[in-house]
Every structure is written in structure tokens, then in C-alpha cells.
Amino acid sequence: MPTLGELERAVMDALWSADAAVTARDVQDALAGRELATTTVLTVLGRLERKGLVTRERSGRAHRYRATASRADHVAELMRDALDATPDRGAALARFLGSIPDDERAALRDLLD
Amino acid sequence: MELVALGLLVFGVALAEPVSRLLARARWPGRDPVGALLLWQAIGLAGGLALLSAGVIYGLSPLGAPRPALESVLDELGAGRLPALDVPHVVALVLTAALAARLLGVLVAVTVRTLRVRARHRELLDLLATPWPAAPGARVLEHPVPVAYCLPGLRSRLVVSAGVLDCLDVDQVWAVLAHERTHLRERHDLVVLPFVAWGATAPFVRGMVCAQFAVATLIEMRADDVAVRQASPKQLSGALGAMGGVAPAAALSSFTAALHRRLARIVEPPAPLPLALRALVRLIAGVLVAVPLLAVLG
């Protein structure tokens, strides 16, 4: 029995590799090897939508889903969080190379962009 | 009673300003990071308690000893009567209550914000990072810039980017993971949290900012000490050197200065503080917290 986390990964991967917005049925077909029930796919899509990772639009009678941002964009967001670890964010995550003092934060941002 | 209150006020201000600044500049904390972290916690706690109890003791001073006075004031208020206090004493009590609310409020706000940032980060991580079979619990994020970090909390995460695996050998990665696991195991996030919060309450108090920075440095020292014992000094310094050299922050002078201090401490560790002095540091920490508590409750 796959965990919800694994299913979310699989569904996101399916959305990321699709070119356009897709229906829950398309996702189900893309994950055919897993033999998921439509309700399961809808549940997972609903969770991802609540997390702000997926948007839903209506076309005719079907709902179509797409990822709000590309995989690379999300990775970039995580990297920004991790590299921008100033002392006032020190409680959120701890970086191996330590934190950057506030007065040099702007300089670091310039380097990252 | 007024004299006790004045004494506590002076004690609290002294801890917030000259004492914090002196401790931030002292060199011995590098020889006993755990003791120094305990002392910082005690200074923060004792400073806050001293300022609050100074206000309470002064405000209640016309009614006698603090504890019975507080009980009688609560009784009066409960009965719908105002206690027999003149304006200056009432003002002191109101200011004290406002300070207490502010300190607690900021702590709660920063905690909530921290938990929210962490939860969002963890959600994305679980979708994007792949478990790394070579190290149980560690995840790899596909990105060429080397970065290693941990996300503390009950559902903690340990992360290295693909860039780390490119620029370090396996033993060096082990040293990095040992360092990060120490942050997680000893809950260093909780150690820094009050200083982050109170640094935000009064950023104009230089001592508070010094404290925040000193505590952040000390947890890195502590994690380095454990990593050196579990891996080896050579592996840890090799990892720091390799990652520090290619880090995006490598052009920042304060970053490279801090990195060099850390490298020097790993390669040539200072002699640990003698046992008697370690005991003394812990004793002082206990006494600092006991002073304001005894003044109010004693």
C-alpha cells in the first residue's frame, strides 16, 4: 500500500510531464501501473490543490488540473530558503555553512539572482 | 521593597546590555560551547524575569511583600474593587503587563511563523527530494549548488543537494550529516528560537543582537565538536573547505571570516575548559535565574 506522500509525488510527476492541463482520468491513465481508483486520484489532487501546488479549471463538464509551478521553480524556492538562512530564520532550518548576517543578506541575494 | 525593585531593574538591564556584549566578545565559549549556551539561556531568562519582577515588586510595594500583596490585589479585583494604589504604582504594573504580553506575543508569533515556513518547506521537500540510500533519513535535492541543511522539528528532514555529492567524497558527506544530525538531536532550533524572537522585539538593544549572533555561532561549534568525534577533524574540515569555497556566499567577507574561524577551531581545537570552570559556568547560570525568582517568591 503506497503512502499518501508517494502518491502525491507520483501525481505531481504526472502533472509535470504533461504539456497541458489534464483531467483526473488522464492522471489515472498516466499512473496505470499503480491501478489507482478514480476517487483516490481525486483525493490526492484535492490535497495538492489545498497545498497550493495544483490549480483546477473547468472545461465543459470535466475538471482539468495543472501544476502551479514547474519542478525547477519549486526546487529553486527550496534552494532560496536554504541559502538565505539568516540568523532570524535560524529557527526554521539549520544550514551546514551557518547563517548569513542581516547586513550581507542583500549582497547574497544579488549573487543568487 | 522599592530598593529590591531597583536592584532587579539594574540587574535586568545589566544582563541585557553590558553582560551580553561582554559574553559575546569572550573567547572561552569556544572551549565550552554547551556551558556557554546554558549561560546564554540563563541570561535571557533571568534578564526577562528580572525586568518583569522589578515592575511587579515596585507596583505592589505599597501593599507589602510581593506575594501576599499580589494575592490581595487579585482578591480585590475579583470582588470588583480597585486596589488602593496610586498612579505611579498602577502605571508600573500596567507597563509590566504590557512588557510580559509583548515578550510572550513575539515568541508565539515567531514560533508560528517558523512552523509555517518549515511545514511549507517540508511539503515541497517530500515531493521533490529523493531518499538517499547511502544515508538513512537523508534526502537529495537535484540542484548543482552545494547546500546541506536540516529542517528541525518532530518530523525533521536532512537534506543535501546534488552539488554536495559532486564536490565531497563519501566520508566528508558523513561528517556533514553528523553535524546536521547533532542540530536535530539536540533541538538547536529551540535553543535559538527565544533569541531570534527577542532579537526581533528589541533590535535596537545591541546586546540582544550580539546574543542572537553568539548563540548561532555556538550551536555550530557544538555540532562541529560532535561531528569531529563521530567522523574525524580531517573529514569535517575538508567538507567545510570544499563547500565553503564554492558556496554562493563565498564572496562575502563576514562569511569567509566565520568559515576560517570554524576551520581553525576544527584543525587546532582549543583546550577544553577545566572541569572546575565548567561547573562554575553552570552554577552561575543557575544563580542568575534564581535571583529574580527568589526576589518575587522568597
Side-chain angles (χ1 to χ4, degrees), chain B residues 45-116:
Chain B
L45 190 57
L49 285 176
L51 293 181
L52 294 178
S53 49
V56 170
I57 290 175
Y58 172 76
L60 297 176
S61 57
L63 304 174
R67 206 151 47 153
L70 189 61
E71 279 162 16
S72 77
V73 165
L74 291 177
D75 285 346
E76 294 273 305
L77 287 175
R81 288 190 300 268
L82 287 175
L85 288 172
D86 58 4
V87 173
H89 291 92
V90 171
V91 168
L93 288 176
V94 170
L95 284 179
T96 306
L99 177 64
R102 169 94 183 140
L103 289 177
L104 267 181
V106 171
L107 190 59
V108 170
V110 169
T111 306
V112 168
R113 196 185 66 195
T114 302
L115 290 178
R116 202 175 291 152

Side-chain angles (χ1 to χ4, degrees), chain B residues 5 7 27 43 62 69 75 83 90 97 122 125 135 141 148 160 170 175 189 208 218 238 250 269 274 277:
Chain B
R27 300 184 63 82
I43 286 175
D75 285 346
V90 171
R122 194 177 45 227
L125 258 185
L141 195 57
V160 291
V170 176
D189 57 309
M208 301 263 231
L218 281 168
L277 285 179

